[in-house]
Amino acid sequence: MKQYQFSQFDDFSPYNIALNPRTHKLYIIDYDQGVTYVINSVNFSMICKIPVMPLPEEIVVNPKTGFIYVSNREATRVAVINGNNDHFVKNIVTANYSRDFATDSSLFVDPISNLVYLADYERKAIIMINGTTNTIARTVFLDFSPADISFNTKTGDLFIYDDQSGRLARLAVNGTVIHLLGFKVQNHIKSESPRINTINIGKGASEIGIDNINNRTYVLNIMSRSIYVIDTNSNSVTDIIRMEHKPSHFGIIPERNLLLVTYKGISGIYMIDPVSKHTIGKLDTNTSTNFDINSNLDEIIFASPDKDNSIIIGVSAEDEMNRFPVRVTHPQNVAVNSVDGNIYLSGSNLATIDRSRNESKIFSSSVISDPGPIAINELTNMIYVLANRYYDNHYLSLYAIDGYTNRIEYTLNLKQPLSFNNIAVNERTSTIYATGNDAETKPRGILLIVNGSTNQPVKNITLGVNPTLMAVDPDSNIIYVVDGDTRSLFTIDGKNNELVPAWNTITFEVSPHNSGDLFCNGNKVNDQVVNYGYGTQLKCQVKPSQNFVFESWSGSISNMKDSIDLRVVEGGKLQANLSELPSPPNYWQIFTVVIGVIGIGTGIFLNREKLKRNKNRK
Amino acid sequence: LNIIISILLAVISVLGFGQLFQGGYSFQGSPLATDPNTNIVYIPANNTIIGVDGDSGRIVTKFDVQARDLVLNSITHELYGFDKYEHRVIQINLASKLLRTTNISNSPFAITLDPVNNLLYAADDESLINLVGINGTL
């Protein structure tokens, strides 16, 4: 163990600490001064101190973007620091008032969705901040005070600790459903009639991209010279963008709501506004080229022959263009790690470009022969490369390269698929997906699934004829695969690695019969059987009849709230249970009985008086 | 009448406290740590770290050690925390259940982990950063 004194800086009242292992920077917040100290974690020299806000309490680092978030004790502010240049960006106001007393806050950042979660104990709320725009994305109110939070990066679930009752709650990925643990809860309704979910995207579809900010999926169709726009919520085509030339590649910059397209035989990368569908800019390149986008640094990276026919990697950011000459012929695929900016190029060889050291490394063809598609897990900094293999009775190799050391960590030799098309990785689950086809027996498409933690194949899924590109949505854990030959877009549920059913049948019941009305998304669904598309959001509530009260939901879901939010992922049954109130007393009957009793009493009394009087007369 | 009121108050008290204890387990301390591979949430309780299944809410594991501010390395399956009063950092291997402690000279108030270099940074109340090597890295 080693110790380092940091009180030498000045009067120091440290409160919390966070580290970015990639930049070797320690961030320590000073409660009294309201500043964040930035310290070199290797030699412990102070880099700078950044004023943030009074009474900072919690600090977290997003290792992917390098941004730092600091919350104050009142949970009314979250300070944003750009850790790449250690500049203060802004204070996000999360509650627009000052509190009479200090309460408590808890902070967490999910590097995959780039959402920052702030638990506000006093307001009984979880505030979600979009780390891209640094604005509040959503506020979820709870029926208890959240003392602390923790996150499962694989499932996307947030766990919330209720220190009053000593219980744990779970906030699901969609941010709407909260289940107190201990209740019997089933999130998913079991499938009854599975059918494969496909969306018709036309013959010739080749590439796909997901825009999680604007909830759109884009599919490039080379033959019809168009881009299909698919609404992620309804999984249906909502628009088609036509192009003048035959496209070859495309990409998305969600933060700018911008599409990038290259055309066959035409040099340059073209920028298209998906709303107006107009070309609004062009990046000059010598040829039509493959490219990748680094959203963190707002860069476009491409590989194309230079004027003297040497291959260059171009990095375009704003008006600047940096060029890296690389000894690789026939450049096919280029990929960039948006965390460290390092670039990977496959062609005749595999090349890696370390931009911080300004040096490149070439893997010889005896080490990796005929490298192809590249995928990067930016969380683990593992680079996955598919390559042909012409010996050893295998046809394909999957290489995993450590991005820190550029060493091959393992090689997986495979017999299927016979030829590959593309590769993608789900950073949440560390699962690798590769598309290809097996034409040995009959033409059929194959999706290969590999567990990135154990480096072992999980399964092969047969789909379409020749699936080309794919995209992974880590938040919903859905994998989209494009098969241009069958004009299909397949969706695969990453939780069980099964093709998603096209529709899901939900049976609605109210018990007892006629005890109330059940509404879902405004429609009365009593005793109905309804088909919903995968992922449909439902808001269901019960309106009890007179003399009935709501008790619980049962069937495929157990819940005690009379209004619930659901996301349909499988078919099943939803039953609302109500109970009858005890009958109120019948006041007319009581009144009649009272009057009757009074009448009888009066009669007896008058009769006695009459007898007394008669006696006295006698 | 006094007897009836006393009985009623007693019944209300018992029912009220029943509600108060319905959580079943009184957790103290925080923050939590979640293992993404097993979906187990680790919660510091009274002289104990409790592992709660994130799906069922059931307690699935327990470690008899006083700890605060849990940090988890999901790759090596090591859980870290600190004991403010005993001036030490705690390391638990979740696979082997082996527990190790490293004494530091002062009272720690926060820790953070460097999973790349297998180092733990523990800041203490005497303005010292204690750099703790994990599994012989220092």
Side-chain angles (χ1 to χ4, degrees):
Chain A
M1 190 184 73
K2 291 179 180 174
Q3 283 187 329
Y4 297 88
Q5 185 80 30
F6 56 90
S7 59
Q8 57 188 305
F9 302 137
D10 40 41
D11 288 337
F12 206 41
S13 53
Y15 200 84
N16 223 322
I17 185 169
L19 173 83
N20 188 342
R22 295 201 169 168
T23 58
H24 305 292
K25 286 178 185 173
L26 272 174
Y27 298 90
I28 303 178
I29 48 176
D30 185 309
Y31 189 73
D32 290 339
Q33 294 186 66
V35 298
T36 299
Y37 282 81
V38 187
I39 295 166
N40 184 314
S41 69
V42 179
N43 60 21
F44 289 86
S45 61
M46 189 176 79
I47 297 167
C48 62
K49 65 176 180 178
I50 306 164
V52 279
M53 64 178 87
L55 311 180
E57 188 187 35
E58 296 282 336
I59 182 165
V60 290
V61 174
N62 185 338
K64 275 187 74 168
T65 62
F67 273 59
I68 295 98
Y69 301 89
V70 182
S71 64
N72 63 348
R73 189 147 178 79
E74 295 180 317
T76 55
R77 300 281 186 280
V78 172
V80 184
I81 297 167
N82 184 343
N84 302 304
N85 54 20
D86 292 324
H87 284 172
F88 173 79
V89 178
K90 67 187 287 195
N91 266 331
I92 302 166
V93 178
T94 53
N96 204 9
Y97 56 88
S98 178
R99 290 184 172 133
D100 294 335
F101 58 94
T103 160
D104 207 358
S105 74
S106 186
L107 202 61
F108 195 92
V109 61
D110 173 23
I112 296 174
S113 64
N114 201 10
L115 274 177
V116 182
Y117 294 88
L118 172 71
D120 186 334
Y121 192 86
E122 183 66 19
R123 269 206 304 164
K124 298 182 179 176
I126 301 291
I127 297 139
M128 300 180 200
I129 295 166
N130 183 329
T132 306
T133 60
N134 287 321
T135 54
I136 294 173
R138 181 177 216 155
T139 301
V140 177
F141 290 97
L142 311 166
D143 53 6
F144 62 89
S145 294
D148 225 310
I149 53 177
S150 183
F151 196 81
N152 187 331
T153 48
K154 272 195 174 176
T155 62
D157 285 339
L158 183 79
F159 292 98
I160 311 161
Y161 174 49
D162 173 8
D163 65 342
Q164 294 297 309
S165 71
R167 280 186 178 180
L168 207 59
R170 185 176 61 200
L171 181 61
V173 179
N174 60 18
T176 53
V177 184
I178 298 163
H179 302 300
L180 274 177
L181 296 180
F183 287 95
K184 184 187 169 194
V185 175
Q186 288 174 291
N187 285 326
H188 307 306
I189 304 171
K190 282 181 186 164
S191 180
E192 289 174 345
S193 308
R195 264 179 41 185
I196 293 166
N197 185 24
T198 58
I199 302 166
N200 194 331
I201 44 172
K203 191 175 175 67
S206 65
E207 292 192 10
I208 184 167
I210 296 173
D211 175 352
N212 265 338
I213 292 179
N214 303 295
N215 291 324
R216 292 193 207 110
T217 301
Y218 296 95
V219 178
L220 179 71
N221 189 309
I222 292 173
M223 289 179 76
S224 66
R225 298 182 178 184
S226 52
I227 294 174
Y228 284 66
V229 185
I230 295 165
D231 179 79
T232 311
N233 294 322
S234 63
N235 264 356
S236 58
V237 176
T238 55
D239 206 353
I240 298 174
I241 301 168
R242 308 282 179 193
M243 281 163 285
E244 293 176 12
H245 311 286
K246 192 171 186 177
S248 55
H249 300 295
F250 95 120
I252 309 165
I253 307 179
E255 294 80 3
R256 289 213 228 160
N257 198 12
L258 200 63
L259 297 176
L260 301 179
V261 179
T262 57
Y263 299 108
K264 284 211 167 162
I266 300 173
S267 62
I269 300 170
Y270 292 80
M271 299 168 188
I272 295 175
D273 175 4
V275 179
S276 69
K277 304 179 190 175
H278 291 146
T279 301
I280 56 171
K282 181 191 170 191
L283 179 67
D284 289 325
T285 61
N286 289 327
T287 60
S288 177
T289 176
N290 206 341
F291 62 90
D292 198 6
I293 297 160
N294 182 348
S295 297
N296 276 358
L297 299 175
D298 211 11
E299 294 174 334
I300 301 163
I301 291 97
F302 60 92
S304 77
D306 206 355
K307 285 171 187 167
D308 58 358
N309 270 342
S310 64
I311 301 300
I312 60 125
I313 295 283
V315 178
S316 170
E318 299 292 333
D319 294 329
E320 288 183 24
M321 178 82 84
N322 293 312
R323 291 165 188 267
F324 302 92
V326 187
R327 284 177 286 116
V328 171
T329 55
H330 308 299
Q332 294 288 321
N333 299 279
V334 62
V336 61
N337 184 335
S338 63
V339 176
D340 53 22
N342 289 347
I343 299 165
Y344 302 86
L345 173 71
S346 69
S348 55
N349 299 88
L350 180 74
T352 65
I353 296 158
D354 186 326
R355 289 170 67 189
S356 61
R357 293 179 193 147
N358 201 19
E359 61 187 32
S360 62
K361 175 182 177 177
I362 304 281
F363 288 84
S364 74
S365 54
S366 62
V367 178
I368 298 178
S369 66
D370 201 5
I374 305 163
I376 302 172
N377 185 336
E378 294 183 347
L379 268 189
T380 58
N381 202 8
M382 290 296 288
I383 291 84
Y384 299 97
V385 183
L386 282 174
N388 280 319
R389 187 180 180 89
Y390 303 110
Y391 53 95
D392 198 20
N393 223 10
H394 289 87
Y395 302 99
L396 188 68
S397 292
L398 172 65
Y399 293 93
I401 298 166
D402 185 331
Y404 294 108
T405 61
N406 273 335
R407 277 202 292 254
I408 297 172
E409 287 291 307
Y410 73 89
T411 307
L412 189 63
N413 297 320
L414 302 154
K415 291 189 177 179
Q416 277 186 317
L418 288 178
S419 64
F420 56 75
N421 286 325
N422 210 331
I423 186 170
V425 61
N426 185 340
E427 294 180 335
R428 266 207 206 293
T429 60
S430 294
T431 308
I432 303 144
Y433 299 89
T435 54
N437 65 72
D438 177 5
E440 198 169 56
T441 49
K442 62 174 184 177
R444 58 174 187 159
I446 289 175
L447 177 69
L448 167 72
I449 303 170
V450 176
N451 184 328
S453 302
T454 62
N455 305 326
Q456 291 301 312
V458 176
K459 69 193 293 189
N460 284 355
I461 295 177
T462 304
L463 73 183
V465 174
N466 189 23
T468 48
L469 294 195
M470 64 188 144
V472 174
D473 183 350
D475 290 333
S476 63
N477 202 0
I478 294 290
I479 297 91
Y480 299 88
V481 182
V482 169
D483 183 41
D485 287 19
T486 58
R487 309 180 182 198
S488 298
L489 172 64
F490 293 91
T491 47
I492 289 125
D493 186 344
K495 287 185 277 299
N496 53 18
N497 289 320
E498 298 283 352
L499 286 158
V500 168
W503 40 263
N504 307 277
T505 306
I506 309 279
T507 306
F508 296 97
E509 279 184 20
V510 176
S511 176
H513 203 63
N514 293 332
S515 59
D517 289 332
L518 171 53
F519 292 90
C520 284
N521 291 356
N523 301 315
K524 188 178 168 184
V525 290
N526 288 35
D527 303 322
Q528 288 189 21
V529 178
V530 184
N531 289 330
Y532 293 103
Y534 182 90
T536 305
Q537 294 282 352
L538 290 181
K539 188 176 186 66
C540 298
Q541 61 187 120
V542 179
K543 288 188 178 166
S545 302
Q546 198 174 4
N547 296 337
F548 283 90
V549 288
F550 171 80
E551 273 205 338
S552 66
W553 298 99
S554 64
S556 302
I557 283 175
S558 298
N559 203 300
M560 308 295 279
K561 290 185 175 177
D562 61 350
S563 175
I564 54 170
D565 294 288
L566 302 166
R567 184 169 184 262
V568 179
V569 294
E570 289 174 296
K573 181 181 172 185
L574 185 63
Q575 179 173 310
N577 301 304
L578 297 95
S579 61
E580 192 169 4
L581 290 167
S583 298
N586 189 324
Y587 295 107
W588 279 112
Q589 283 178 353
I590 294 169
F591 179 73
T592 311
V593 169
V594 170
I595 293 296
V597 169
I598 292 170
I600 291 165
T602 310
I604 293 168
F605 176 76
L606 290 174
N607 208 21
R608 277 189 181 173
E609 288 298 310
K610 194 177 176 182
L611 285 171
K612 273 184 190 173
R613 279 200 301 270
N614 288 341
K615 234 181 199 178
N616 291 338
R617 276 183 198 160
K618 285 178 183 176
Chain B
L1 186 65
N2 285 342
I3 293 168
I4 292 167
I5 290 169
S6 302
I7 291 168
L8 278 173
L9 282 174
V11 169
I12 291 165
S13 303
V14 168
L15 289 174
F17 281 115
Q19 291 292 315
L20 199 64
F21 287 117
Q22 67 180 356
Y25 216 108
S26 175
F27 297 128
Q28 280 187 359
S30 55
L32 330 173
T34 303
D35 187 339
N37 300 311
T38 59
N39 202 27
I40 293 174
V41 186
Y42 293 92
I43 304 166
N46 298 329
N47 299 319
T48 315
I49 297 170
I50 294 164
V52 178
D53 184 291
D55 286 320
S56 66
R58 289 183 185 157
I59 295 170
V60 290
T61 188
K62 248 168 52 166
F63 299 98
D64 292 328
V65 64
Q66 165 84 33
R68 289 181 60 179
D69 273 24
L70 301 180
V71 184
L72 183 99
N73 186 338
S74 59
I75 298 165
T76 60
H77 306 291
E78 304 268 7
L79 184 70
Y80 306 93
F82 65 82
D83 185 339
K84 191 174 178 179
Y85 304 105
E86 296 291 331
H87 297 188
R88 60 184 187 175
V89 293
I90 290 141
Q91 176 188 355
I92 300 169
N93 187 299
L94 296 172
S96 66
K97 316 281 184 196
L98 191 70
L99 187 138
R100 289 179 183 172
T101 58
T102 305
N103 290 322
I104 58 177
S105 51
N106 303 300
S107 180
F109 63 84
I111 57 171
T112 186
L113 180 73
D114 179 352
V116 178
N117 298 305
N118 232 1
L119 294 168
L120 196 73
Y121 295 82
D124 70 29
D125 58 1
E126 292 297 319
S127 297
L128 285 166
I129 299 173
N130 299 268
L131 189 56
V132 181
I134 299 162
N135 302 334
T137 52
L138 267 186

